[in-house]
Amino acid sequence: MTGSGRTSGGRVGEGRVGRPDGGPLRVAMITTFYPPYSFGGDAIAIERLASSLARRECRVTVIHDVDAYNALHPGPEPEPPAERPDGLAVVSLRSGLGPISPLLTQQLGRPIASGRQIRRVLAEGAFDVVHFNNVSLVGGPGVLSAGEGIKVYEAHEHWLVCPTHVLWRFNRELCTERACVRCVLSYKRPPQLWRQTGYLDRQLAEVDLFIAKSEFSRRKHAEFGFDRDMEVLPYFLRDVPDDPPPARPEESPHDRPYFLFVGRLERIKGLDDVIPMFERYPDADLLIAGDGTHEGALRRLAVGGERVHFLGRTSPETLERYYRHSIALIVPSICFETFGIILIEAFRQRTPVIARRIGPFPEIVEACGGGELFETAEELVASMRRLQHEPGYREDLARRALEGFRERWSESAVVPRYLDLIGRAAETSGQPEIARAVASAA
């Protein structure tokens, strides 16, 4: 991949009109999925950032694709939220073509059905920042040329270097070298011929700032041929008060000691290795929060056991209670994730984690000392025993987890770094008026 084609003051041949001083920072966020039309933690993270910016008196507009959600989730649509923060608007794209719209985007790499509406929203909003997230089905690389201002691409997945997003080759193993066409066919998806041309490179030249979610993900992008600079900016959650008021004693949501799993129930999440272990571990149960396409297979694997319990999709408020009372969160993923939001969700509740030594998990756990890492089943069981039967040791990990969350992954720690990156990109591209608007929001 080649270097950026951006020039000072705008894209080649555009000659952007300067932003007048004064007024709030205007941010457009473009993503395929956005709550409640979403599946995973990346969409929730986008919502958190959009809401945080709105609370800082920015004007934020989120553009997402309902057709893409419905194509992957047939059935009744979810209820929209009752309210959103002041300053946050949401544009839900519906082309009238149903699943044909995201299929055209996936195959042609362009927003065929919704491109005109996206460009109209961006033109009318005169945004200072256009922040692209997961654009695979909302517009593909073609959408990167839409709009003006500072353009940001946040790599929530490995879509920039992997047609399946997850570097999970042939739907059975970690990807260590490219075999993209055969791999995509193994997923029963049509190959994207535009990836064999220079189209993606040309569109990426429109972007001022690339963000990876972990140092591991930045390295993995480079390993697979992405040669542009990437900044590392982690996910975040709302702050925890420094001195929370005393809470009344809270009853555990489960009548036995338990370890917790949270996430999509897919094979790449690694539960196939964990569930059978609880037949040999009588001291605690395993509670599984989430749903997904692999749920049926996991339930069959757990048949006959008394220590594995499926909670289904769980509300954030209820899930916090499960975190607080668990011995530890088990994170057994066997794929290359870009981050791991559930780790910092656990840290926020003073819950240690036991994570597989893969992908970004080591850098997160080792950054604060809020858990342990494992590679084998024996190491996992040993960690479980330590955390369950050495309460002083577990308490030390819990304290480190919360301290690490506050310092590294809280809203007050991450959002100012995000704004600083935008401000520096504006200065570098010769748009000081945007840099000043960013500074007013910081």
Side-chain angles (χ1 to χ4, degrees):
M1 296 182 176
T2 58
S4 174
R6 293 295 294 264
T7 60
S8 177
R11 282 160 289 286
V12 176
E14 282 197 5
R16 170 177 166 83
V17 177
R19 178 195 199 273
D21 278 342
L25 184 72
R26 298 166 302 208
V27 181
M29 307 190 80
I30 300 180
T31 177
T32 296
F33 303 116
Y34 189 76
Y37 300 94
S38 60
F39 304 98
D42 58 337
I44 296 173
I46 296 164
E47 181 182 46
R48 289 190 184 114
L49 178 58
S51 298
S52 177
L53 294 174
R55 288 194 296 271
R56 290 171 178 262
E57 299 186 353
C58 301
R59 310 303 295 180
V60 183
T61 298
V62 178
I63 304 170
H64 73 106
D65 196 287
V66 176
D67 288 341
Y69 172 83
N70 287 336
L72 299 174
H73 187 274
E77 289 194 5
E79 290 292 328
E83 59 182 34
R84 291 190 171 97
D86 291 341
L88 174 58
V90 177
V91 177
S92 301
L93 301 175
R94 299 173 186 267
S95 69
L97 298 179
I100 295 175
S101 173
L103 177 61
L104 289 172
T105 298
Q106 191 266 355
Q107 280 293 280
L108 301 178
R110 295 167 171 82
I112 300 299
S114 299
R116 184 174 299 177
Q117 183 178 357
I118 292 171
R119 292 178 186 277
R120 183 173 66 250
V121 172
L122 294 181
E124 292 174 354
F127 294 99
D128 305 305
V129 179
V130 182
H131 185 139
F132 301 100
N133 296 280
N134 174 6
V135 298
S136 59
L137 298 181
V138 71
V143 79
L144 300 179
S145 57
E148 295 187 358
I150 301 303
K151 293 192 175 184
V152 183
Y153 186 96
E154 188 171 4
H156 297 274
E157 298 177 321
H158 290 111
W159 175 80
L160 289 172
V161 294
C162 174
T164 69
H165 303 221
V166 292
L167 295 174
W168 185 246
R169 190 171 55 187
F170 305 135
N171 204 16
R172 66 169 185 262
E173 62 191 18
L174 292 173
C175 183
T176 56
E177 60 182 5
R178 290 184 178 276
C180 296
V181 174
R182 288 191 294 125
C183 180
V184 168
L185 292 175
S186 75
Y187 278 82
K188 299 181 180 178
R189 298 178 186 174
Q192 298 168 314
L193 298 181
W194 53 263
R195 286 186 181 268
Q196 315 306 316
T197 72
Y199 180 58
L200 178 58
D201 270 331
R202 293 192 298 273
Q203 291 301 107
L204 292 177
E206 296 282 333
V207 178
D208 298 283
L209 171 65
F210 293 93
I211 294 176
K213 303 312 297 174
S214 63
E215 183 60 42
F216 168 83
S217 183
R218 174 163 64 179
R219 292 196 306 268
K220 193 58 62 175
H221 276 83
E223 178 185 327
F224 279 83
F226 188 81
D227 64 358
R228 290 166 170 80
D229 291 337
M230 299 187 85
E231 299 286 347
V232 175
L233 189 74
Y235 287 111
F236 70 87
L237 304 174
R238 293 292 296 270
D239 290 2
V240 176
D242 289 336
D243 296 304
R248 292 186 301 174
E250 181 183 66
E251 185 178 352
S252 173
H254 191 68
D255 59 4
R256 275 174 46 83
Y258 65 89
F259 293 89
L260 182 65
F261 169 91
V262 177
R264 292 278 295 164
L265 302 188
E266 308 293 345
R267 192 160 68 90
I268 58 177
K269 296 299 184 179
L271 273 176
D272 298 74
D273 298 336
V274 176
I275 288 175
M277 290 172 38
F278 278 81
E279 297 177 5
R280 309 186 303 274
Y281 191 89
D283 296 351
D285 293 351
L286 174 65
L287 305 190
I288 299 172
D291 58 11
T293 62
H294 198 50
E295 181 174 352
L298 294 174
R299 286 184 177 273
R300 289 190 293 274
L301 188 62
V303 166
E306 299 178 352
R307 300 188 185 95
V308 178
H309 306 268
F310 290 84
L311 305 177
R313 181 171 289 197
T314 308
S315 71
E317 296 78 15
T318 302
L319 192 57
E320 287 182 358
R321 187 177 172 209
Y322 278 107
Y323 274 124
R324 285 194 293 270
H325 291 274
S326 66
I327 301 165
L329 176 75
I330 296 178
V331 188
S333 293
I334 56 177
C335 64
F336 292 142
E337 301 202 21
T338 57
F339 187 73
I341 297 176
I342 56 173
L343 279 76
I344 64 172
E345 286 182 355
F347 291 166
R348 189 178 186 274
Q349 301 299 328
R350 298 187 82 257
T351 301
V353 304
I354 306 173
R356 195 181 297 273
R357 190 183 294 277
I358 190 173
F361 303 154
E363 70 182 86
I364 296 171
V365 173
E366 292 169 357
C368 67
E372 293 196 1
L373 300 166
F374 73 93
E375 293 183 6
T376 66
E378 292 74 18
E379 289 176 345
L380 174 55
V381 170
S383 292
M384 290 164 57
R385 287 202 174 102
R386 270 192 298 274
L387 268 69
Q388 182 169 8
H389 298 298
E390 299 180 26
Y393 174 65
R394 183 200 177 278
E395 175 60 24
D396 183 54
L397 295 188
R399 176 184 57 79
R400 292 171 181 266
L402 181 58
E403 289 176 354
F405 169 77
R406 284 177 167 147
E407 293 172 2
R408 297 172 180 272
W409 303 294
S410 62
E411 181 175 348
S412 60
V414 175
V415 175
R417 290 174 55 193
Y418 169 80
L419 291 170
D420 180 64
L421 291 174
I422 302 295
R424 284 193 277 144
E427 293 285 3
T428 300
S429 65
Q431 300 185 67
E433 68 284 355
I434 293 181
R436 287 191 288 272
V438 171
S440 70

